[in-house]
């Protein structure tokens, strides 16, 4: 079997594609009682520095939790495409008007009634530390055929998934 691992650069490019294509993630923070809590967030961008950007309300519980403990997790899932991304990172609440103007779209009006003029609107920036992703190595059909074969033969499936780990 040949080693078809991606280079660090290729893996980062693919990670950005996955994060921006899957869009919704579960952001996990730690609450005051030490519980891990998660909520859905819509990814606005993974920028050229690797930072992942979201909109939030400055007075939200998640913003308070990020200020208390900046270690967060992001979990992306595309069940239909069998694509998964896990990001361990450090988060910060950011008030950067120019960045907000760059990333804001009308679809956010449902959460921010006055658009960029909404009181307490802020950005949440997650700087990745460790990232992993899994996706079909040769496409979904080849993966499905390999899994079906393994089911019939009772063998472990062939290496059907690409798994990459990136230290940022």
């Amino acid at each position: 079997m040949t080693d078809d691992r991606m280079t660090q650069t290729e893996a980062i490019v693919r990670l950005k594609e996955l994060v921006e294509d899957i869009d919704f993630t579960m952001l996990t923070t730690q609450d005051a009682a030490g519980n891990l809590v998660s909520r859905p967030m819509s990814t606005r961008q993974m920028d050229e520095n690797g930072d992942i950007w979201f909109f939030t309300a400055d007075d939200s519980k998640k913003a308070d939790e990020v200020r208390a403990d900046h270690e967060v997790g992001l979990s992306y899932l595309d069940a239909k495409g069998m694509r998964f991304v896990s990001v361990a990172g450090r988060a910060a609440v950011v008030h950067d008007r120019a960045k907000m103007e760059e990333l804001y779209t009308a679809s956010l009006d449902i959460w921010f009634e006055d658009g960029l003029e909404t009181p307490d609107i802020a950005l949440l920036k997650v700087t990745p530390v460790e990232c992993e992703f899994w996706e079909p190595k040769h496409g979904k059909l080849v993966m499905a055929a390999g899994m079906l074969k393994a089911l019939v033969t009772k063998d472990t499936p062939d290496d059907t998934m690409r798994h990459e780990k990136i230290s940022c």
Side-chain angles (χ1 to χ4, degrees):
M1 185 169 125
T2 62
D3 182 15
D4 59 351
R5 306 265 321 157
M6 294 178 156
T7 66
Q8 176 86 355
T9 302
E10 291 169 334
I12 290 169
V13 167
R14 185 62 186 144
L15 176 70
K16 177 179 172 39
E17 292 169 351
L18 289 167
V19 163
E20 291 185 344
D21 188 48
I22 297 172
D23 183 18
F24 282 97
T25 187
M26 293 299 286
L27 167 71
T28 302
T29 58
Q30 190 170 42
D31 70 12
N35 299 307
L36 296 176
V37 292
S38 301
R39 78 281 290 155
M41 300 287 290
S42 176
T43 304
R44 304 320 298 169
Q45 176 190 64
M46 183 172 182
D47 68 20
E48 65 280 351
N49 298 318
D51 294 323
I52 303 171
W53 294 89
F54 308 89
F55 275 90
T56 191
D58 196 32
D59 62 353
S60 66
K61 204 169 188 178
K62 71 180 146 303
D64 293 341
E65 291 165 357
V66 162
R67 283 189 278 271
D69 181 353
H70 63 271
E71 302 294 329
V72 300
L74 301 174
S75 298
Y76 292 84
L77 162 68
D78 169 20
K80 211 172 206 174
M82 296 296 293
R83 302 177 307 162
F84 312 90
V85 178
S86 175
V87 176
R90 294 191 179 96
V93 177
V94 176
H95 300 94
D96 179 335
R97 180 64 184 216
K99 190 70 175 175
M100 286 185 203
E101 288 174 359
E102 174 190 343
L103 299 178
Y104 197 87
T105 62
S107 66
L108 293 167
D109 288 349
I110 190 168
W111 303 108
F112 304 102
E113 187 175 302
D114 296 323
L116 290 173
E117 304 310 316
T118 302
D120 292 323
I121 191 170
L123 291 167
L124 184 68
K125 176 177 82 168
V126 175
T127 301
V129 175
E130 291 282 335
C131 303
E132 292 185 74
F133 66 85
W134 299 260
E135 64 180 334
K137 190 179 278 187
H138 305 290
K140 285 189 331 184
L141 292 177
V142 172
M143 184 188 77
M147 294 176 95
L148 181 59
K149 175 186 169 199
L151 183 63
V152 170
T153 63
K154 306 289 190 222
D155 289 332
T156 302
D158 291 337
D159 191 15
T160 59
M161 294 291 281
R162 172 185 306 283
H163 173 229
E164 298 288 342
K165 186 170 185 175
I166 306 160
S167 294
C168 305

